[in-house]
């Protein structure tokens, strides 16, 4: 593509795909270091138990064993930190029990790390693990979040009753008063089902220690290497930060599960110095099911008060959130700051209050999973709005329209300020694309086949570009949420960009290059994007919360602005003009109103030949960096419409049509955006239709610990999606006008599907997932 045509808004083919499709990607497990050894973690078979005896003597003598490490070795070492402080309603801080690297006298979930065995080969490490003798005193397991005090047991002695915190946002008194005058109140109680992340690449790490300078290198499948390094060095191992290099090479998906600092890589880093050789560990899929941070797992009661005309008066939400056995890195923020602040949805509800009680259980830790709190909020809002519409006999689209926010900026009752939006536009277009007008005819056709057909809406909004630091800090964040970018222009005019964002499937090497090419007027081929290496890039916060382009991309744009500003001064000297008269367009510096011009490559070369420009006023080189901390979140929004057929004899749900209409602001690469939405829809529909992490309520054993039991969606679970991005409302506070798209599909789709099932069966609620068994049970219950 000619650079002068512009790259913004073009469906440029992903540059990174060539290496992935030809098997030339390099993932953590592909890296083999000199003297490579292998680690294996012995894990707890019990959900809750005291370790009464742990004998590693026989295992230590096994062939190839280089070291065996237990909680005793880490007693003096800090626990894995939680990055967000949440206070109780009374202002006291949350309970924050130590999260040990390896179990310290007690195990708290099936899969908890008991020992690390290091050997020459993985097979030898596994064989030695079988020789480790462990005796346990089993304790009652706390599993059911609806009644965490039922067994009388505490997961942590520091958290009586297993409560981590009880937190509230909104106007409780105002909500109570509004409910008194309501003409109608809709109430729903439901569970947002627990999910395993299931990235295609499991977690992996390869740690080494260099005796020559007492430094460490960690290769790790991770979404934010700088944060990984900071947390591990400063809060756990006490390693000077400049003595640790963290590299996240190609990463095969994350969905949030690779944001966090885990005990596995932390133990490997520490042990690599003990044996003076590198140690590699890669989770197998069974380990991943047991030990990856899970997502969702809320139990919620919601009440919506409406007046006689269907206008929303107040919204009351009470949620119990499962944190699992320990506080993971961002666990405390997900069911509070990232959830309750989005409960206004797209609606001008005057009064809202949300109370969240977060509890510890003897299950794997729970943290961010694609959407992280926003899917749970949207599900709560869109399920109760649809239910209210059905109860009142009002068309669901019409009820939403009566309550849409129409003027911006809009300050919600739960702490956010939406800068811009047009919810009517996405609703209108979605209805057209979904052919809602033809639904009745399709329903009658389904009835002739003995099938039930339903249609469900979801009008979602999310807060993306996770930041700004000032707001996040006031809400308990223990780190900044800025992003960094560096633009290095080489003498020949080629460009290397270093970004603190991390790509693990998002296509940054393409979209970031498009932004740079468009700004500088140079070919894409002249641009390289570097990320994922703390030894190369400026301190950045990584990728999550659909923040890469809005925050990371803006940091790059600001660095580019500095490059262009300096280039104008050099060009002014070359053209014997004032720099204020120089403009930069399509890769060329020009003196306005004249025919004088200098191409970008000439200016870049001059920048490295100081005697050709006034070096007494300008430094040589053309290399600039910038940090960007936004003033607000971004707020993508849209309307999703799902149409299903249900077989009442078997409970099988078939997704017949799915329409997604989104407002993402300005779009850099429409093809990549559509791909992101498709992926999100697959995960959201997977949650609504198939997936569910289930623990035995007595033993705490994970019953869905493999693909034989955990129902991942398959291709034939989906229809052909109709996806469209409307000409949106650009974000008002970043120069690209972008909002973020990576999580939208997973946020908007679950309530749309469940609303459709409820409509088809004329029932008030359908628990997720809408599996054949669950649907059949709901059908039978409705008969009585």
């Amino acid at each position: 593509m000619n650079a002068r045509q512009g790259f913004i808004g073009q469906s440029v083919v992903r540059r990174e795909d060539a290496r992935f499709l030809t098997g030339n990607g390099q993932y953590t497990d592909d890296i083999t270091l000199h003297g490579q050894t292998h680690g294996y973690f012995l894990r707890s078979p019990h959900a809750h138990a005291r370790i009464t005896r742990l004998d590693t003597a026989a295992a230590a003598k096994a062939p190839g064993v280089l070291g065996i490490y237990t909680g005793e070795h880490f007693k003096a070492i800090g626990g894995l930190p939680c990055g967000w402080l949440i206070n109780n309603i009374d202002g006291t801080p949350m309970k924050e029990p130590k999260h040990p690297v390896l179990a310290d006298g007690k195990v708290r979930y099936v899969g908890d790390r008991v020992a690390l065995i290091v050997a020459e080969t993985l097979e030898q490490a596994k064989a030695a693990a079988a020789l480790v003798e462990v005796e346990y005193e089993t304790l009652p397991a706390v599993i059911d979040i609806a009644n965490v005090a039922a067994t009388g047991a505490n997961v942590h002695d520091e958290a009586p009753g297993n409560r981590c915190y009880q937190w509230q946002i909104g106007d409780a008194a105002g909500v109570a008063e509004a409910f008194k005058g309501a003409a109608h109140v809709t109430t729903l109680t439901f569970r947002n089902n627990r999910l395993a992340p299931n990235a295609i690449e499991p977690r992996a790490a390869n740690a080494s220690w260099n005796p020559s300078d007492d430094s460490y290198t960690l290769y790790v499948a991770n979404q934010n290497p700088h944060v990984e390094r900071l947390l591990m060095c400063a809060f756990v191992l006490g390693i000077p930060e400049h003595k640790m290099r963290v590299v996240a090479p190609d990463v095969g998906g994350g969905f949030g599960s690779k944001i966090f600092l885990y005990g596995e890589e932390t133990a490997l880093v520490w042990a690599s110095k003990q044996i003076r050789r590198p140690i590699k560990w890669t989770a197998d899929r069974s380990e991943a099911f047991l030990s990856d941070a899970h997502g969702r797992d809320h139990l919620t009661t919601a009440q919506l008060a409406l007046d006689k005309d269907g206008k929303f008066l107040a919204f009351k939400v009470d949620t119990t959130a499962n944190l699992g056995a320990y506080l993971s890195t961002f666990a405390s923020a997900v069911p509070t700051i990232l959830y309750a602040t989005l409960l206004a949805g797209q609606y001008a509800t005057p009064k809202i209050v949300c109370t969240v009680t977060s509890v510890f259980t003897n299950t794997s830790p729970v943290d961010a999973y694609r959407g992280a709190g926003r899917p749970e909020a949207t599900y709560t809002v869109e399920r109760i709005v649809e239910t209210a519409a059905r109860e009142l006999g009002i068309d669901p689209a019409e009820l939403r329209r009566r309550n849409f926010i129409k003027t911006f900026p809009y300050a919600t009752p739960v702490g956010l300020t939406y800068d811009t939006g047009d919810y009517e536009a996405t609703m209108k277009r979605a209805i057209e694309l979904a052919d809602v007008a033809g639904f009745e005819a399709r329903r009658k056709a389904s009835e002739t086949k003995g099938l039930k057909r339903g249609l469900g809406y979801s009008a979602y909004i999310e807060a993306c570009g996770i930041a700004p630091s000032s707001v996040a800090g006031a809400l308990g964040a223990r780190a900044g949420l800025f992003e960094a970018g560096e633009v290095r222009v080489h003498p020949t005019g080629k460009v290397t960009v270093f970004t603190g964002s991390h790509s693990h499937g998002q296509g940054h090497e393409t979209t970031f290059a498009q932004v740079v090419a468009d700004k500088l007027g140079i070919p894409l081929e002249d641009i390289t994007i570097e990320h994922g290496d703390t030894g190369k890039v400026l301190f950045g916060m990584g990728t999550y919360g659909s923040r890469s382009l809005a925050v990371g991309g803006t940091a790059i744009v600001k660095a580019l602005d500095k490059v262009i500003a300096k280039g104008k001064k050099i060009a002014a000297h070359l053209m014997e003009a004032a720099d204020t008269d120089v403009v930069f367009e399509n890769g060329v510096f020009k003196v306005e109103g004249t025919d004088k011009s200098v191409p970008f490559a000439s200016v870049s070369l001059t920048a490295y030949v100081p005697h050709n420009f006034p070096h007494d006023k300008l430094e040589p080189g053309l290399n600039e960096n910038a940090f960007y901390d936004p003033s607000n979140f971004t707020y993508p929004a849209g309307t999703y419409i799902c149409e299903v057929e249900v077989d009442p004899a078997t409970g099988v749900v078939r997704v017949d049509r799915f329409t997604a209409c989104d407002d993402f602001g300005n779009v850099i690469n429409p093809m990549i955006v559509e791909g992101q939405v498709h992926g999100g829809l697959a995960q959201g529909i997977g949650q609504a239709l198939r997936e569910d992490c289930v623990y035995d309520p007595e033993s705490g054993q994970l019953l869905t610990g493999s693909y034989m039991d955990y129902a991942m969606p398959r291709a034939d679970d989906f229809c052909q999606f109709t996806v469209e991005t409307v000409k949106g409302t650009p974000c008002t506070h970043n120069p690209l006008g972008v909002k973020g798209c990576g999580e939208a599909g997973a946020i908007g789709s679950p309530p749309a599907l469940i609303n459709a099932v409820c409509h088809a069966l004329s029932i008030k609620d359908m628990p997720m997932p809408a599996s054949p068994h669950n649907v059949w049970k709901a059908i039978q219950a409705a008969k009585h």
Side-chain angles (χ1 to χ4, degrees), residues 101-171:
V101 176
L102 297 177
D104 185 9
K106 194 176 184 183
V107 292
R108 293 182 170 88
Y109 65 98
V110 174
D112 206 352
R113 299 172 295 273
V114 174
L116 166 63
I117 298 93
V118 183
E120 295 286 355
T121 69
L122 178 59
E123 291 73 20
Q124 289 173 330
K126 287 182 176 181
L131 300 176
V132 176
E133 298 177 20
V134 190
E135 294 179 3
Y136 298 94
E137 176 194 346
T138 58
L139 301 169
V142 179
I143 304 298
D144 182 9
I145 62 172
N147 195 359
V148 291
T151 65
N154 290 322
V155 179
H156 299 278
D157 294 340
E158 305 95 313
N162 298 303
R163 180 185 290 182
C164 178
Y165 58 79
Q166 188 172 65
W167 175 90
Q168 189 177 85
I169 191 171
D171 181 358

Side-chain angles (χ1 to χ4, degrees), residues 290-633:
L290 289 173
S291 63
D292 288 359
H294 292 166
R296 314 292 191 249
D297 207 353
H298 286 190
L299 183 62
T300 294
T301 295
Q303 294 181 291
L304 179 65
L306 305 92
D307 70 11
K308 61 181 179 60
D309 298 316
K311 295 297 290 289
F312 301 164
L313 300 176
F315 190 29
K316 183 174 185 281
V317 179
D318 289 283
T319 292
T320 300
N322 193 347
L323 298 173
Y326 300 103
L327 279 170
S328 180
T329 308
F330 295 112
S332 56
V334 174
T336 52
I337 307 307
L338 299 178
Y339 164 66
T341 57
L342 270 298
L343 288 172
Q346 298 184 6
Y347 311 111
T349 309
K351 299 291 182 181
I352 301 174
V353 66
C354 177
T355 305
V356 177
T357 304
S358 287
V359 297
F360 293 111
T361 62
N362 292 117
T363 63
S364 177
V366 179
D367 208 317
Y369 172 74
R370 196 169 189 168
R374 281 73 54 82
E376 297 93 314
T378 295
Y379 191 81
T380 300
V381 173
E382 290 305 295
R383 280 292 293 117
I384 203 160
V385 169
E386 188 100 351
T387 304
R390 302 296 182 193
E391 289 179 348
L392 293 169
I394 301 173
D395 178 77
E398 171 58 25
L399 184 64
R400 287 175 169 89
R401 283 171 160 147
R402 290 183 192 181
N403 291 280
F404 275 158
I405 298 163
K406 296 181 172 65
T407 58
F408 296 88
Y410 176 81
T412 75
V414 280
L416 298 182
T417 299
Y418 303 164
D419 62 327
T420 186
D422 186 349
Y423 309 139
E424 171 59 32
T426 51
M427 173 68 77
K428 180 181 178 182
R429 184 57 179 151
I431 288 172
E432 293 171 355
L433 292 170
D435 184 25
V436 172
F439 171 75
E440 283 302 326
R442 294 190 294 274
R443 178 153 69 174
K444 290 177 182 178
S446 295
E447 286 176 352
T448 64
K449 298 182 291 182
L451 303 175
K452 302 289 187 180
R453 180 175 286 263
L455 183 146
Y457 290 84
S458 173
Y460 80 92
I461 189 169
E462 58 167 324
C464 293
I466 302 300
S469 297
S470 58
V471 173
L475 296 173
R478 287 166 165 165
L481 291 170
F482 54 84
E483 198 45 83
E486 179 183 355
V487 177
R488 187 177 301 172
V489 182
H490 304 288
T492 56
K494 313 304 183 187
V495 175
T496 302
V497 176
F498 299 88
T499 174
S501 299
H502 185 274
S503 181
H504 39 278
Q506 293 86 350
H508 293 172
E509 293 173 38
T510 303
T511 51
F512 283 179
Q514 286 180 252
V515 170
V516 176
D518 195 85
K519 188 85 171 174
L520 295 182
I522 62 176
L524 280 175
E525 295 74 20
D526 289 357
I527 302 160
T528 298
I529 307 296
E530 295 279 355
H531 61 91
D533 187 343
T534 63
K536 292 181 179 179
V537 303
L538 297 168
F539 189 101
M541 300 307 295
T543 292
Y544 44 86
S546 302
R547 73 191 304 269
S548 295
L549 196 57
V551 188
T554 298
I556 292 169
V557 167
K558 289 186 171 294
L560 288 167
D561 288 340
K562 293 180 182 180
V563 166
I564 292 169
K566 184 174 181 180
K568 285 181 178 180
K569 293 178 180 179
I570 296 172
H573 175 75
L574 294 175
M575 294 184 288
E576 299 180 335
D579 62 290
T580 53
D581 293 332
V582 176
V583 296
F584 182 65
E585 297 173 351
N586 298 319
V588 178
F589 293 93
K590 302 175 182 178
V591 178
E592 205 164 19
T594 76
D595 60 357
K596 292 183 177 181
S597 65
V598 181
F600 179 74
S602 295
V603 169
S604 64
L605 180 60
T606 302
Y608 291 92
V609 186
H611 60 270
N612 284 344
F613 69 90
H615 55 277
D616 56 327
K617 297 180 181 178
L618 292 173
E619 294 178 354
L622 201 52
N623 182 27
E624 299 288 350
N625 62 61
F627 288 81
Y628 175 63
D629 195 344
S631 59
N632 195 359
F633 297 99

Side-chain angles (χ1 to χ4, degrees), residues 226-257:
H226 272 289
V227 176
E228 172 98 357
R229 181 179 73 168
L230 174 64
L231 296 178
M232 187 185 296
C233 290
F235 296 97
V236 188
L237 297 181
I239 298 170
E241 196 175 0
H242 69 291
K243 291 292 187 179
M244 168 80 83
R245 178 188 175 205
V246 175
V247 182
D250 288 327
V251 173
F255 313 122
S257 68

